[in-house]
Every structure is written in C-alpha cells, then in structure tokens.
Amino acid sequence: MTDKAQVLQQTKSTVSTGTDSVTEVSKVGVFTIAAFGAIVGLWSVACIIGGMVASGGPLAFVGAWFKAVTGM
C-alpha cells in the first residue's frame, strides 16, 4: 500500500508602486528651498562682484569692507 500526501502551497505577494501625497509635497518643498538657496547664492555673488567693481578691485574692496566694519 502506498500512502501519498498532497500539499498545496500558495504564495501571495503584493507590491505597491504608488506614491504618497506627503512624499510629493516634501519633494516640492525641497526643490523650492534649493531653488531659493541658489537664487540667494547667485544674488550674493553678483553683489560681491558689483562691490569689487565699485571699489576698484579686490584689495580695495577688502579695505573698504574693513573700514566699514571697524568704523574708521
């Protein structure tokens, strides 16, 4: 006599590929802050270059900055 047992095995898996709205809002926030930081950085470089041109060069710019800070 031969005894055979049959085993049924089912594997279930679910994969979620959707994105959450909180994640999208965070991405927009990070992009906005980075863009604003880039704009401020470019503005500061433009101001420093303008100051150097107005004072007559980098050394004159540093000297004028030192005089403005110390009040001399």
Side-chain angles (χ1 to χ4, degrees):
M1 193 161 34
T2 306
D3 292 330
K4 290 185 179 182
Q6 187 176 15
V7 177
L8 297 176
Q9 184 177 7
Q10 293 180 350
T11 305
K12 293 182 180 180
S13 63
T14 58
V15 177
S16 176
T17 59
T19 56
D20 192 12
S21 62
V22 175
T23 304
E24 293 300 321
V25 170
S26 295
K27 287 179 185 178
V28 170
V30 168
F31 177 76
T32 303
I33 291 171
F36 186 72
I39 290 170
V40 169
L42 291 173
W43 182 263
S44 65
V45 169
C47 288
I48 290 174
I49 290 172
M52 284 187 200
V53 169
S55 66
L59 293 177
F61 177 74
V62 172
W65 180 84
F66 183 72
K67 289 177 185 177
V69 170
T70 60
M72 298 175 104

